[in-house]
Amino acid sequence: MAALINKGNALQGLGKLRATLSDHENSANAYAQAVAAYDEALARAPDHVDAHNNKGSALARLGELRAALSDHEGAANAYAQAIAAFDEALARAPDYVLAHNNKGNALQGLGELRAALSDHEGAANAYAQAVGAYDEALARAPDDVAAHNNKGFALAELGALRAALSDHEGAANAYAQAVAACDEALARAPDDVDCLHSKIHCLRLYSVSEKELGRKSPGCERLQEAMCLLHHALELAPSHPELNEEKSLVESLLTEMCPERIID
């Protein structure tokens, strides 16, 4: 039993490695073999919670791979199976925080897929369910930094969806909640670069929504806060590519929206 789960874990690691090397076919094969190993374990022990959770993780990664390859149907099927696997784990262990968090991640991936396909209602529903999954995790582990951060990112994605539909008020509300979630993460891990990046990202998008609503002053304040956080984050991780990209975007918005209030 343990050997089958370990085999699945090793295959899942191999799939992740192959994906980073852009060896997509072998990556997909490794994830499929991992799922088969977990299924074999579950045939012997159908109530094994970790096997259900790990199966869900392998399927979610397969979904990410299929989405990156524009295999939209394959990605949607993989995400649906991943969510079902996490639900099987949670049916047996409702307080399994990692499974709640993993379910949220799979739902967020499904939301991104639906948004890319212009299925706006499906995307919004998936993001809302992802937030609900993270809230379930946080009800059981209120200090879980990853769950707070993931919730913030899901809300930011929902905000971006609302903004794309010209629902700027709805976007601003989602971004406000996203920033609050990021604040919860940073209250517990103030030097976590991923959490800092998430808040900077949310503040930048929030400022754009406020600009669309004619709220120049709050937007400038959020951009200035983003720039202060960027200085701190880049001290911690000066070569971080996404942070440097955010810095360029924030500087451009500051120049456009509030040139008299630029912070160096």
Side-chain angles (χ1 to χ4, degrees), residues 1-262:
M1 181 65 194
L4 286 167
I5 293 175
N6 288 338
K7 178 182 178 181
N9 294 347
L11 284 162
Q12 193 168 173
L14 178 61
K16 190 175 180 180
L17 174 63
R18 294 296 189 192
T20 62
L21 297 172
S22 298
D23 183 359
H24 305 304
E25 182 177 355
N26 283 324
S27 176
N29 287 339
Y31 288 138
Q33 290 177 57
V35 171
Y38 297 131
D39 278 339
E40 194 172 345
L42 288 165
R44 292 164 168 76
D47 292 328
H48 198 294
V49 173
D50 287 337
H52 285 293
N53 178 68
N54 294 358
K55 176 183 175 181
S57 294
L59 285 161
R61 284 177 173 156
L62 181 59
E64 290 173 14
L65 179 66
R66 294 297 187 201
L69 296 172
S70 298
D71 176 7
H72 302 132
E73 183 177 355
N77 287 338
Y79 281 132
Q81 291 178 63
I83 292 160
F86 294 130
D87 281 339
E88 289 288 346
L90 291 166
R92 294 161 172 82
D95 294 331
Y96 193 177
V97 171
L98 181 60
H100 284 294
N101 201 29
N102 286 342
K103 180 182 176 181
N105 293 344
L107 283 160
Q108 190 166 173
L110 180 60
E112 291 167 7
L113 176 67
R114 295 297 187 201
L117 295 172
S118 298
D119 177 6
H120 305 303
E121 183 178 356
N125 286 339
Y127 288 138
Q129 289 178 58
V131 171
Y134 298 132
D135 280 338
E136 289 287 347
L138 290 165
R140 294 160 171 84
D143 292 327
D144 190 309
V145 172
H148 283 295
N149 190 54
N150 291 344
K151 178 182 176 181
F153 219 89
L155 285 161
E157 291 295 311
L158 180 58
L161 178 66
R162 296 296 185 203
L165 296 172
S166 298
D167 177 10
H168 300 299
E169 191 71 52
N173 288 339
Y175 291 138
Q177 293 177 64
V179 169
C182 292
D183 282 339
E184 291 287 348
L186 288 167
R188 294 160 172 83
D191 292 333
D192 187 299
V193 173
D194 288 336
C195 295
L196 287 164
H197 174 243
S198 293
K199 184 173 181 185
I200 292 160
H201 178 73
C202 293
L203 286 167
R204 175 174 60 81
L205 294 175
Y206 195 177
S207 72
V208 173
S209 279
E210 296 203 299
K211 174 191 170 189
E212 295 294 338
L213 291 167
R215 302 169 182 167
K216 179 180 176 182
S217 179
C220 288
E221 290 171 6
R222 299 191 204 292
L223 288 171
Q224 288 180 301
E225 183 182 359
M227 187 58 74
C228 289
L229 290 171
L230 273 162
H231 287 163
H232 178 51
L234 286 168
E235 286 177 357
L236 297 168
S239 300
H240 196 293
E242 291 176 327
L243 284 174
N244 282 289
E245 183 180 349
E246 285 287 351
K247 187 172 186 286
S248 296
L249 293 168
V250 171
E251 285 174 339
S252 178
L253 282 169
L254 274 167
T255 300
E256 176 189 349
M257 291 174 58
C258 30
E260 74 284 358
R261 301 170 70 179
I262 293 178

